[in-house]
Amino acid sequence: MTDMEKDRIIIKTGAVVDPAAKITATADFPAVIGEYTIVEAGAEIKGASIGAYATVKSGASVGEGVYVGDFAVLNENTRLPDGAKVPSRAVAEGDPFSIVRGLTKEELDAAKARASEGL
C-alpha cells in the first residue's frame, strides 16, 4: 500500500476491521468505514463509503463508488457492483444483490450497543 493510498483509506472511531478483510481506495474514490462498523474476514471493499454501525459479512464484495447507509447489513457473499446503493437500516444479499428486508428492532439495538460495549 502506498502512502497516498493510506491517506485515502479512512477507518473511523470504533470500527472493527478483520485483518483478513481487504480495503482499498481507488483513483476516484476513497474507502471510508464508518463509526462502529464491523468488516468481517474475507470481505472486500474497493473505493466505497460504508456508513456508521454497518456490518459487512464474510465474503461480501463492495465495488467502486458504492454507498452503504448507516446500520445496513451486507450478508455473506453479497456482491455490490460499482455505483450500487444500499439504504440505511437495510439488509442486502445475493449476487446480484437485492434488498431483502429492513433491520429488525433487535438488530438495530445490537448495532447501537456497539458504542457502549467498546466494539
Side-chain angles (χ1 to χ4, degrees), residues 1-22:
M1 181 182 317
T2 67
D3 287 337
M4 178 184 275
E5 188 177 50
K6 285 180 187 175
D7 292 341
R8 295 180 42 81
I9 296 174
I10 301 159
I11 300 174
K12 296 191 176 180
T13 303
V16 177
V17 178
D18 189 281
K22 183 177 179 183

Side-chain angles (χ1 to χ4, degrees), residues 71-101:
F71 298 99
V73 175
L74 305 182
N75 279 333
E76 290 87 358
N77 303 313
T78 298
R79 187 182 65 81
L80 300 180
D82 293 353
K85 307 276 187 263
V86 175
S88 295
R89 300 181 184 201
V91 177
E93 67 180 38
D95 180 5
F97 88 97
S98 62
I99 305 301
V100 294
R101 62 181 174 84

Side-chain angles (χ1 to χ4, degrees), residues 53 55 57 71-73 75 89-91 101-114:
Y53 298 91
T55 302
K57 294 189 178 182
F71 298 99
V73 175
N75 279 333
R89 300 181 184 201
V91 177
R101 62 181 174 84
L103 231 50
T104 66
K105 180 182 181 329
E106 293 77 18
E107 289 168 324
L108 183 60
D109 290 345
K112 288 179 179 177
R114 291 178 194 164

